[in-house]
Amino acid sequence: MNSLSLYHDNDNYIYKIDPITKIIFVISIIAVTYLIPTITGSLITLLSCVVVLLLAKVLRKTVPLLSVSALVLVSIALIQGLFYGGNKTPLLEMGPVVFYKEGTLYATLLCLRILVIILAFSVLILTTKPSDLVESLVKKGLSPKIGYVLLSVLQIIPQMSATMATITDAQRSRGMETEGSLMTRMKAFIPLMGPVVMSSLTNTRERSMALEVRAFNSTKERTYINEPVFHKSSLFIRIVIILVLIAVSVWRFFLWRG
């Protein structure tokens, strides 16, 4: 059965860190990337994310996420290399097309920042169960309704993929051609998307009814099945992350004042 989330089940130290600490890591690492506006600073934060993903043994799981963003990264490199406002020094000439050094450097910085954001969120999403993440946020005061929306967003892509695969197999068993030339795939697109959309609407209605049965809109104090397990090392990690963020912020402030 296909998983309804991007979470990859494993058993190592990164998985045992509580979701709030991981959220602090994500926010801090992205903030540091923008506080240090250099390629070197972005490379350091990028390597930090890679190290954490390696420790969690989920670095390979980020390949599909990175492949989806490849078109965006290439577009940024082309547009900034050709049309960046500060372009002065030619770097590469291909007939009438000229790539400039300034635009290429700026595009590199932007691409590194995007990669940092993707990998930082990968640490959170790939190593944390969506239910645990939302439950931790609700316990910290987040509205249950917002928590439900967040949980739905985290599950919608894997759920749609699982539904699409099931319907595709069902249509194939009925003789529909779903593979082959581009025209064949386009002909199969509408018959496939119709059941997917209808299935999604049905699931939404069923979820709504299930939530009402479970008193989702109740204003009374909620109870939880799972008790949070807070490791002592999580507090140490939070302190280190926050101290690094404060140090970088202070350095950036004095650099700006200077």
Side-chain angles (χ1 to χ4, degrees):
M1 181 181 293
N2 292 329
S3 174
L4 294 184
S5 72
L6 297 175
Y7 171 74
H8 178 68
D9 195 12
N10 206 332
D11 185 20
N12 58 48
Y13 177 74
I14 303 299
Y15 282 77
K16 296 178 182 179
I17 298 175
D18 65 285
I20 301 300
T21 301
K22 293 177 185 177
I23 292 175
I24 294 174
F25 168 78
V26 172
I27 295 174
S28 299
I29 205 75
I30 294 175
V32 169
T33 302
Y34 282 88
L35 288 172
I36 306 178
T38 62
I39 293 177
T40 302
S42 296
L43 280 173
I44 293 173
T45 54
L46 181 63
L47 289 175
S48 300
C49 294
V50 170
V51 169
V52 175
L53 290 168
L54 283 173
L55 292 175
K57 299 180 181 180
V58 291
L59 183 60
R60 291 184 179 180
K61 298 296 179 179
T62 63
V63 174
L65 300 176
L66 296 175
S67 61
V68 171
S69 63
L71 180 61
V72 177
L73 298 178
V74 172
S75 300
I76 291 174
L78 292 175
I79 293 173
Q80 299 298 332
L82 293 172
F83 307 111
Y84 178 60
N87 283 340
K88 294 181 181 179
T89 309
L91 181 65
L92 178 64
E93 297 185 13
M94 301 175 62
V97 179
V98 181
F99 285 89
Y100 292 88
K101 178 180 178 181
E102 292 80 6
T104 302
L105 291 175
Y106 184 64
T108 302
L109 178 61
L110 291 179
C111 291
L112 287 174
R113 286 176 173 174
I114 293 174
L115 290 175
V116 168
I117 293 173
I118 294 174
L119 294 183
F121 275 101
S122 296
V123 173
L124 175 65
I125 295 172
L126 295 176
T127 65
T128 309
K129 291 182 180 179
S131 57
D132 292 344
L133 173 61
V134 173
E135 187 172 314
S136 297
L137 292 173
V138 171
K139 288 179 179 178
K140 293 295 182 180
L142 181 71
S143 169
K145 294 183 179 180
I146 297 178
Y148 173 74
V149 172
L150 177 59
L151 183 62
S152 300
V153 169
L154 292 174
Q155 291 182 340
I156 188 170
I157 295 177
Q159 186 177 21
M160 291 288 286
S161 299
T163 304
M164 188 70 175
T166 302
I167 293 175
T168 300
D169 291 340
Q171 298 289 45
R172 285 176 182 170
S173 67
R174 297 185 177 97
M176 176 181 288
E177 294 185 9
T178 59
E179 296 181 353
S181 63
L182 179 61
M183 185 60 65
T184 301
R185 294 172 182 266
M186 291 179 64
K187 288 180 180 179
F189 179 76
I190 294 178
L192 288 175
M193 288 306 299
V196 170
V197 174
M198 292 302 298
S199 176
S200 298
L201 294 175
T202 302
N203 289 337
T204 301
R205 182 173 177 272
E206 291 177 352
R207 284 191 178 190
S208 176
M209 294 172 62
L211 290 174
E212 290 298 329
V213 170
R214 295 172 184 175
F216 182 74
N217 292 322
S218 175
T219 56
K220 294 184 178 180
E221 185 178 356
R222 298 174 183 271
T223 57
Y224 302 93
I225 297 177
N226 301 318
E227 290 296 328
V229 179
F230 187 78
H231 293 273
K232 295 181 180 180
S233 58
S234 294
L235 179 59
F236 174 76
I237 294 172
R238 290 186 187 185
I239 293 174
V240 172
I241 293 174
I242 294 174
L243 287 176
V244 171
L245 180 60
I246 292 174
V248 173
S249 301
V250 171
W251 170 81
R252 179 63 177 169
F253 174 76
F254 283 105
L255 185 65
W256 174 72
R257 286 291 299 273

